[in-house]
Amino acid sequence: MPLPKAELHLHIEGTLEPELAFELAARNGVTLPYPDTEQLREAYAFDDLQSFLNLYYELMAVLITEQDFEALADAYLTRAAAQGVRHAEIFFDPQAHLARGVSMETVVEGLWRALSRSEETHGVSTRLILCFLRDQSARSALETLAAAKPYLDRITGVGLDSAEVGHPPAKFREVYEQAAALGLRRVAHAGEEGPPEYITEALDVLGVERVDHGLRCVEDPALVARLVRDRTPLTLCPLSNVRLRTVDTLADHPLPAMLEAGLMCTVNSDDPAYFGGYAGDNFDAVRTALGLTDDRLRELARNSFLASFLEDEEELRTRYLAEVEAYVFPA
Ligand code: ADE
Ligand code: ZN
């Protein structure tokens, strides 16, 4: 039995496995620019975030109907459950779909078909987080939030993703103010490729409650002290960092030093179909490469539930935390 955990940094479009991409392409009459799954997988050698994003957006062409989004989410939840994920807070990128003529309704209702029965089917509770693409305009983000208004009963929060450098958080001040006024929780990617100043700006200007990645905080001791003091959760994605060359190898990942410094770290999978593993694979990889003790792994699992947006279901959080404490690591 795997360690129970919450997944807090997961792009649903990044769970599109090559086999499902080809299946949906055939169903929808879409031609992919790769002859088969094997050659598609060979394209998964990335130099940086942008080189990954190019493929990530290209493959989304196969996602057209509610049924497609449902199949995508169901496939993810099946895999996540098998790796001990008990709760998943799932990002989606509506602008990437709206731009292709796929409506907000299709995306949200399709995902919701799978999410609404997930506790029953997979034993995984879920939340949805709408992400704005930071390399698009602030106006486009405002229009996207407006388009999401009929679906806010299904959406817990907003996030900020896509190409980071050159697109600082402050660009999205207004849309985050509106999201806060609508009662939405706020997170943002910051300090993945971008500088530590973007993390500070996400906290100060956007009022985020968690920082996605936040890896480059280690370059700014005052920022680390602030994050430790405020117990601001960081949703780290170790295998993603290796594949996007943010760190050279997993053995060089600063996770142990970050835990030692008292940062509230969590371990997540980001885009597992592209980066070589789901949440449990990330836990296994850091345990092996970084020699994390069972106590540290338990701390990471505990943090994931403490950092989750389960305020409206505290009894569920309490149950998950009890599962973490009761977990017996295999000898
Ligand atoms: N969109 C999907 N994965 C992402 C990542 N790791 N960083 C920024 N945007 C993303
Ligand atoms: Zn991400």
Side-chain angles (χ1 to χ4, degrees), residues 214-266:
L215 192 70
R216 289 190 59 191
C217 75
V218 296
E219 297 168 32
D220 180 345
L223 175 58
V224 169
R226 173 184 181 177
L227 295 167
V228 170
R229 184 196 66 205
D230 296 343
R231 286 192 61 68
T232 308
L234 306 178
T235 64
L236 300 172
C237 306
L239 289 176
S240 164
N241 297 151
V242 175
R243 290 297 186 101
L244 300 185
R245 305 198 182 190
T246 312
V247 299
D248 289 336
T249 72
L250 206 50
D252 301 309
H253 200 283
L255 173 62
M258 295 172 84
L259 287 167
E260 203 56 44
L263 286 162
M264 191 179 187
C265 300
T266 65

Short mmCIF file of all heavy atoms in Angstrom, two decimals, residues 214-266:
data_model
loop_
_atom_site.label_atom_id
_atom_site.label_comp_id
_atom_site.label_asym_id
_atom_site.label_seq_id
_atom_site.Cartn_x
_atom_site.Cartn_y
_atom_site.Cartn_z
N GLY A 214 8.09 27.41 -6.73
CA GLY A 214 8.75 28.20 -5.69
C GLY A 214 10.20 27.81 -5.47
O GLY A 214 10.85 28.27 -4.52
N LEU A 215 10.70 26.99 -6.37
CA LEU A 215 12.04 26.41 -6.21
C LEU A 215 13.13 27.46 -6.01
O LEU A 215 14.03 27.31 -5.18
CB LEU A 215 12.33 25.58 -7.46
CG LEU A 215 13.52 24.64 -7.44
CD1 LEU A 215 13.23 23.47 -6.51
CD2 LEU A 215 13.80 24.12 -8.84
N ARG A 216 13.04 28.55 -6.77
CA ARG A 216 14.14 29.54 -6.74
C ARG A 216 14.11 30.43 -5.51
O ARG A 216 14.93 31.34 -5.38
CB ARG A 216 14.16 30.34 -8.05
CG ARG A 216 14.62 29.47 -9.23
CD ARG A 216 14.89 30.28 -10.48
NE ARG A 216 15.92 31.30 -10.29
CZ ARG A 216 16.19 32.28 -11.16
NH1 ARG A 216 15.50 32.34 -12.28
NH2 ARG A 216 17.13 33.17 -10.90
N CYS A 217 13.21 30.17 -4.57
CA CYS A 217 13.25 30.92 -3.30
C CYS A 217 14.59 30.71 -2.60
O CYS A 217 15.04 31.58 -1.84
CB CYS A 217 12.10 30.52 -2.38
SG CYS A 217 12.28 28.90 -1.59
N VAL A 218 15.23 29.56 -2.87
CA VAL A 218 16.49 29.24 -2.18
C VAL A 218 17.59 30.26 -2.48
O VAL A 218 18.58 30.33 -1.76
CB VAL A 218 16.99 27.82 -2.51
CG1 VAL A 218 16.00 26.78 -2.01
CG2 VAL A 218 17.23 27.64 -4.02
N GLU A 219 17.40 31.07 -3.52
CA GLU A 219 18.39 32.09 -3.86
C GLU A 219 18.25 33.34 -3.00
O GLU A 219 19.07 34.25 -3.08
CB GLU A 219 18.25 32.48 -5.35
CG GLU A 219 18.54 31.32 -6.29
CD GLU A 219 18.12 31.63 -7.73
OE1 GLU A 219 18.18 32.82 -8.14
OE2 GLU A 219 17.72 30.68 -8.44
N ASP A 220 17.19 33.43 -2.20
CA ASP A 220 16.92 34.65 -1.43
C ASP A 220 16.63 34.29 0.03
O ASP A 220 15.50 33.93 0.38
CB ASP A 220 15.72 35.37 -2.06
CG ASP A 220 15.35 36.65 -1.33
OD1 ASP A 220 15.82 36.86 -0.19
OD2 ASP A 220 14.57 37.44 -1.90
N PRO A 221 17.65 34.37 0.90
CA PRO A 221 17.48 33.94 2.30
C PRO A 221 16.35 34.68 3.03
O PRO A 221 15.64 34.07 3.84
CB PRO A 221 18.84 34.26 2.94
CG PRO A 221 19.80 34.32 1.79
CD PRO A 221 19.02 34.80 0.59
N ALA A 222 16.13 35.95 2.72
CA ALA A 222 15.06 36.68 3.40
C ALA A 222 13.69 36.13 2.98
O ALA A 222 12.77 36.04 3.80
CB ALA A 222 15.15 38.17 3.07
N LEU A 223 13.59 35.77 1.72
CA LEU A 223 12.33 35.18 1.23
C LEU A 223 12.11 33.81 1.88
O LEU A 223 10.98 33.49 2.30
CB LEU A 223 12.38 35.07 -0.30
CG LEU A 223 11.20 34.35 -0.98
CD1 LEU A 223 9.86 35.02 -0.65
CD2 LEU A 223 11.41 34.30 -2.50
N VAL A 224 13.18 33.02 1.98
CA VAL A 224 13.05 31.71 2.65
C VAL A 224 12.55 31.92 4.07
O VAL A 224 11.62 31.24 4.53
CB VAL A 224 14.40 30.94 2.64
CG1 VAL A 224 14.33 29.72 3.56
CG2 VAL A 224 14.75 30.51 1.21
N ALA A 225 13.13 32.89 4.78
CA ALA A 225 12.72 33.16 6.18
C ALA A 225 11.24 33.52 6.24
O ALA A 225 10.51 33.08 7.13
CB ALA A 225 13.58 34.27 6.76
N ARG A 226 10.80 34.32 5.28
CA ARG A 226 9.38 34.71 5.24
C ARG A 226 8.47 33.50 5.00
O ARG A 226 7.44 33.33 5.66
CB ARG A 226 9.19 35.75 4.12
CG ARG A 226 7.75 36.10 3.87
CD ARG A 226 7.60 37.06 2.70
NE ARG A 226 6.19 37.38 2.50
CZ ARG A 226 5.74 38.23 1.60
NH1 ARG A 226 6.59 38.86 0.79
NH2 ARG A 226 4.45 38.47 1.49
N LEU A 227 8.85 32.67 4.03
CA LEU A 227 8.03 31.49 3.69
C LEU A 227 7.98 30.51 4.87
O LEU A 227 6.95 29.90 5.13
CB LEU A 227 8.59 30.80 2.44
CG LEU A 227 8.51 31.62 1.14
CD1 LEU A 227 9.38 30.98 0.05
CD2 LEU A 227 7.07 31.75 0.65
N VAL A 228 9.11 30.39 5.57
CA VAL A 228 9.15 29.51 6.76
C VAL A 228 8.25 30.08 7.84
O VAL A 228 7.41 29.37 8.42
CB VAL A 228 10.60 29.36 7.28
CG1 VAL A 228 10.63 28.66 8.64
CG2 VAL A 228 11.46 28.60 6.27
N ARG A 229 8.39 31.37 8.11
CA ARG A 229 7.60 32.04 9.16
C ARG A 229 6.10 31.88 8.91
O ARG A 229 5.33 31.55 9.80
CB ARG A 229 7.98 33.53 9.21
CG ARG A 229 7.30 34.33 10.33
CD ARG A 229 7.40 35.82 10.07
NE ARG A 229 6.63 36.19 8.87
CZ ARG A 229 6.89 37.25 8.12
NH1 ARG A 229 7.90 38.04 8.40
NH2 ARG A 229 6.11 37.52 7.07
N ASP A 230 5.71 32.10 7.65
CA ASP A 230 4.27 32.08 7.32
C ASP A 230 3.77 30.67 6.99
O ASP A 230 2.58 30.52 6.70
CB ASP A 230 4.00 33.01 6.12
CG ASP A 230 4.30 34.46 6.48
OD1 ASP A 230 4.40 34.77 7.69
OD2 ASP A 230 4.46 35.28 5.55
N ARG A 231 4.66 29.71 7.01
CA ARG A 231 4.30 28.33 6.62
C ARG A 231 3.58 28.31 5.27
O ARG A 231 2.56 27.63 5.08
CB ARG A 231 3.47 27.63 7.70
CG ARG A 231 4.32 27.24 8.89
CD ARG A 231 3.69 26.30 9.89
NE ARG A 231 3.28 24.97 9.45
CZ ARG A 231 4.10 23.98 9.07
NH1 ARG A 231 5.42 24.19 9.03
NH2 ARG A 231 3.62 22.81 8.74
N THR A 232 4.11 29.07 4.33
CA THR A 232 3.54 29.09 2.98
C THR A 232 3.88 27.79 2.25
O THR A 232 5.06 27.48 2.08
CB THR A 232 4.10 30.28 2.17
OG1 THR A 232 3.94 31.46 2.93
CG2 THR A 232 3.41 30.40 0.82
N PRO A 233 2.90 27.04 1.83
CA PRO A 233 3.21 25.79 1.14
C PRO A 233 3.83 26.03 -0.24
O PRO A 233 3.42 26.93 -0.98
CB PRO A 233 1.85 25.10 1.00
CG PRO A 233 0.96 25.79 1.99
CD PRO A 233 1.45 27.20 2.06
N LEU A 234 4.81 25.19 -0.57
CA LEU A 234 5.41 25.18 -1.91
C LEU A 234 5.05 23.84 -2.54
O LEU A 234 5.25 22.79 -1.92
CB LEU A 234 6.93 25.30 -1.83
CG LEU A 234 7.50 26.48 -1.04
CD1 LEU A 234 9.03 26.41 -1.04
CD2 LEU A 234 7.04 27.80 -1.64
N THR A 235 4.51 23.88 -3.75
CA THR A 235 4.17 22.62 -4.43
C THR A 235 5.31 22.27 -5.39
O THR A 235 5.29 22.65 -6.55
CB THR A 235 2.83 22.72 -5.16
OG1 THR A 235 2.91 23.69 -6.20
CG2 THR A 235 1.69 23.10 -4.21
N LEU A 236 6.27 21.54 -4.87
CA LEU A 236 7.45 21.17 -5.68
C LEU A 236 7.12 19.98 -6.58
O LEU A 236 6.27 19.15 -6.26
CB LEU A 236 8.61 20.79 -4.75
CG LEU A 236 9.07 21.90 -3.81
CD1 LEU A 236 10.09 21.35 -2.81
CD2 LEU A 236 9.67 23.07 -4.59
N CYS A 237 7.85 19.92 -7.72
CA CYS A 237 7.63 18.86 -8.71
C CYS A 237 9.00 18.36 -9.17
O CYS A 237 9.52 18.80 -10.20
CB CYS A 237 6.83 19.40 -9.90
SG CYS A 237 5.28 20.20 -9.42
N PRO A 238 9.59 17.45 -8.40
CA PRO A 238 10.99 17.07 -8.65
C PRO A 238 11.26 16.49 -10.03
O PRO A 238 12.23 16.89 -10.69
CB PRO A 238 11.28 16.05 -7.55
CG PRO A 238 10.26 16.31 -6.48
CD PRO A 238 9.05 16.83 -7.18
N LEU A 239 10.44 15.53 -10.50
CA LEU A 239 10.72 14.94 -11.81
C LEU A 239 10.56 15.97 -12.92
O LEU A 239 11.31 15.97 -13.91
CB LEU A 239 9.82 13.72 -12.06
CG LEU A 239 10.13 12.47 -11.23
CD1 LEU A 239 9.09 11.38 -11.50
CD2 LEU A 239 11.53 11.94 -11.52
N SER A 240 9.59 16.88 -12.76
CA SER A 240 9.42 17.97 -13.72
C SER A 240 10.68 18.84 -13.78
O SER A 240 11.16 19.20 -14.86
CB SER A 240 8.21 18.82 -13.30
OG SER A 240 8.21 20.07 -13.94
N ASN A 241 11.24 19.15 -12.62
CA ASN A 241 12.43 20.00 -12.58
C ASN A 241 13.61 19.38 -13.33
O ASN A 241 14.38 20.08 -13.98
CB ASN A 241 12.87 20.28 -11.13
CG ASN A 241 11.83 21.05 -10.33
OD1 ASN A 241 11.73 20.90 -9.11
ND2 ASN A 241 11.03 21.89 -11.00
N VAL A 242 13.72 18.05 -13.26
CA VAL A 242 14.81 17.38 -13.99
C VAL A 242 14.53 17.43 -15.49
O VAL A 242 15.39 17.82 -16.28
CB VAL A 242 14.96 15.92 -13.51
CG1 VAL A 242 16.01 15.19 -14.36
CG2 VAL A 242 15.34 15.87 -12.04
N ARG A 243 13.30 17.08 -15.88
CA ARG A 243 12.96 17.02 -17.31
C ARG A 243 13.02 18.39 -17.98
O ARG A 243 13.32 18.50 -19.17
CB ARG A 243 11.58 16.42 -17.51
CG ARG A 243 11.49 14.95 -17.20
CD ARG A 243 12.37 14.13 -18.15
NE ARG A 243 12.15 12.71 -17.91
CZ ARG A 243 11.38 11.95 -18.68
NH1 ARG A 243 10.80 12.43 -19.75
NH2 ARG A 243 11.21 10.68 -18.40
N LEU A 244 12.71 19.45 -17.23
CA LEU A 244 12.74 20.80 -17.81
C LEU A 244 14.07 21.50 -17.51
O LEU A 244 14.21 22.70 -17.75
CB LEU A 244 11.55 21.62 -17.31
CG LEU A 244 10.17 21.04 -17.66
CD1 LEU A 244 9.06 21.98 -17.25
CD2 LEU A 244 10.06 20.73 -19.16
N ARG A 245 14.98 20.73 -16.96
CA ARG A 245 16.37 21.18 -16.74
C ARG A 245 16.48 22.37 -15.80
O ARG A 245 17.36 23.23 -15.96
CB ARG A 245 17.05 21.48 -18.08
CG ARG A 245 16.98 20.28 -19.00
CD ARG A 245 17.99 20.40 -20.09
NE ARG A 245 17.90 19.28 -21.01
CZ ARG A 245 18.79 19.04 -21.95
NH1 ARG A 245 19.83 19.83 -22.09
NH2 ARG A 245 18.66 18.02 -22.74
N THR A 246 15.59 22.42 -14.84
CA THR A 246 15.69 23.43 -13.79
C THR A 246 16.75 22.99 -12.78
O THR A 246 17.40 23.82 -12.15
CB THR A 246 14.32 23.57 -13.08
OG1 THR A 246 13.32 23.70 -14.08
CG2 THR A 246 14.29 24.77 -12.19
N VAL A 247 16.87 21.66 -12.61
CA VAL A 247 18.00 21.09 -11.87
C VAL A 247 18.69 20.09 -12.79
O VAL A 247 18.06 19.55 -13.70
CB VAL A 247 17.56 20.39 -10.55
CG1 VAL A 247 16.87 21.36 -9.60
CG2 VAL A 247 16.66 19.19 -10.82
N ASP A 248 19.99 19.85 -12.56
CA ASP A 248 20.75 18.98 -13.46
C ASP A 248 20.32 17.52 -13.32
O ASP A 248 20.03 16.85 -14.31
CB ASP A 248 22.25 19.10 -13.19
CG ASP A 248 22.78 20.45 -13.65
OD1 ASP A 248 22.15 21.05 -14.54
OD2 ASP A 248 23.80 20.91 -13.10
N THR A 249 20.31 17.05 -12.08
CA THR A 249 19.88 15.68 -11.82
C THR A 249 19.05 15.70 -10.54
O THR A 249 19.10 16.67 -9.77
CB THR A 249 21.06 14.71 -11.59
OG1 THR A 249 21.64 15.01 -10.30
CG2 THR A 249 22.13 14.84 -12.66
N LEU A 250 18.31 14.62 -10.30
CA LEU A 250 17.49 14.56 -9.10
C LEU A 250 18.35 14.65 -7.84
O LEU A 250 17.94 15.24 -6.83
CB LEU A 250 16.68 13.26 -9.11
CG LEU A 250 15.37 13.27 -8.34
CD1 LEU A 250 14.51 14.48 -8.70
CD2 LEU A 250 14.60 11.98 -8.59
N ALA A 251 19.56 14.10 -7.92
CA ALA A 251 20.46 14.13 -6.77
C ALA A 251 20.86 15.57 -6.40
O ALA A 251 21.28 15.83 -5.27
CB ALA A 251 21.71 13.30 -7.06
N ASP A 252 20.70 16.50 -7.36
CA ASP A 252 21.04 17.92 -7.09
C ASP A 252 19.83 18.70 -6.60
O ASP A 252 19.94 19.91 -6.37
CB ASP A 252 21.52 18.59 -8.39
CG ASP A 252 22.74 17.90 -8.96
OD1 ASP A 252 23.69 17.70 -8.20
OD2 ASP A 252 22.72 17.55 -10.16
N HIS A 253 18.68 18.05 -6.47
CA HIS A 253 17.48 18.80 -6.11
C HIS A 253 17.59 19.36 -4.69
O HIS A 253 18.02 18.66 -3.77
CB HIS A 253 16.23 17.91 -6.22
CG HIS A 253 14.96 18.69 -6.35
ND1 HIS A 253 14.37 19.30 -5.27
CD2 HIS A 253 14.21 19.00 -7.42
CE1 HIS A 253 13.28 19.94 -5.70
NE2 HIS A 253 13.17 19.77 -7.00
N PRO A 254 17.20 20.64 -4.50
CA PRO A 254 17.34 21.25 -3.17
C PRO A 254 16.31 20.82 -2.13
O PRO A 254 16.31 21.35 -1.02
CB PRO A 254 17.24 22.76 -3.45
CG PRO A 254 16.46 22.86 -4.70
CD PRO A 254 16.74 21.62 -5.50
N LEU A 255 15.44 19.87 -2.46
CA LEU A 255 14.37 19.47 -1.52
C LEU A 255 14.89 19.17 -0.10
O LEU A 255 14.32 19.70 0.87
CB LEU A 255 13.58 18.28 -2.08
CG LEU A 255 12.55 17.65 -1.15
CD1 LEU A 255 11.44 18.63 -0.76
CD2 LEU A 255 11.92 16.40 -1.79
N PRO A 256 15.95 18.37 0.07
CA PRO A 256 16.39 18.09 1.45
C PRO A 256 16.79 19.37 2.20
O PRO A 256 16.43 19.54 3.37
CB PRO A 256 17.59 17.16 1.27
CG PRO A 256 17.40 16.55 -0.08
CD PRO A 256 16.73 17.61 -0.92
N ALA A 257 17.50 20.27 1.50
CA ALA A 257 17.92 21.53 2.15
C ALA A 257 16.70 22.39 2.46
O ALA A 257 16.65 23.09 3.49
CB ALA A 257 18.89 22.27 1.23
N MET A 258 15.72 22.35 1.59
CA MET A 258 14.50 23.15 1.81
C MET A 258 13.73 22.63 3.03
O MET A 258 13.24 23.42 3.85
CB MET A 258 13.62 23.13 0.55
CG MET A 258 14.29 23.81 -0.65
SD MET A 258 13.39 23.61 -2.19
CE MET A 258 12.20 24.95 -2.07
N LEU A 259 13.65 21.32 3.17
CA LEU A 259 12.99 20.74 4.35
C LEU A 259 13.78 21.07 5.61
O LEU A 259 13.22 21.44 6.65
CB LEU A 259 12.87 19.21 4.18
CG LEU A 259 11.82 18.74 3.17
CD1 LEU A 259 12.01 17.25 2.86
CD2 LEU A 259 10.40 19.00 3.68
N GLU A 260 15.10 20.97 5.50
CA GLU A 260 15.99 21.28 6.63
C GLU A 260 15.81 22.73 7.07
O GLU A 260 15.85 23.05 8.26
CB GLU A 260 17.44 21.02 6.18
CG GLU A 260 18.42 20.75 7.29
CD GLU A 260 18.02 19.57 8.18
OE1 GLU A 260 17.59 18.51 7.64
OE2 GLU A 260 18.11 19.72 9.39
N ALA A 261 15.57 23.62 6.10
CA ALA A 261 15.38 25.05 6.40
C ALA A 261 14.02 25.32 7.03
O ALA A 261 13.76 26.43 7.49
CB ALA A 261 15.53 25.86 5.11
N GLY A 262 13.15 24.32 7.02
CA GLY A 262 11.83 24.49 7.64
C GLY A 262 10.74 24.93 6.69
O GLY A 262 9.65 25.32 7.12
N LEU A 263 11.01 24.85 5.38
CA LEU A 263 9.99 25.23 4.40
C LEU A 263 8.90 24.16 4.34
O LEU A 263 9.17 22.96 4.52
CB LEU A 263 10.62 25.39 3.01
CG LEU A 263 11.46 26.65 2.83
CD1 LEU A 263 12.39 26.52 1.64
CD2 LEU A 263 10.56 27.89 2.68
N MET A 264 7.67 24.61 4.10
CA MET A 264 6.55 23.67 4.02
C MET A 264 6.44 23.13 2.60
O MET A 264 5.70 23.65 1.77
CB MET A 264 5.25 24.35 4.43
CG MET A 264 4.15 23.32 4.61
SD MET A 264 2.64 24.08 5.10
CE MET A 264 1.63 22.67 5.45
N CYS A 265 7.22 22.09 2.33
CA CYS A 265 7.30 21.53 0.98
C CYS A 265 6.26 20.44 0.78
O CYS A 265 5.93 19.70 1.70
CB CYS A 265 8.68 20.91 0.75
SG CYS A 265 10.03 22.08 0.91
N THR A 266 5.77 20.34 -0.46
CA THR A 266 4.98 19.19 -0.87
C THR A 266 5.59 18.66 -2.17
O THR A 266 6.30 19.39 -2.87
CB THR A 266 3.49 19.55 -1.11
OG1 THR A 266 3.41 20.45 -2.22
CG2 THR A 266 2.87 20.20 0.12
#
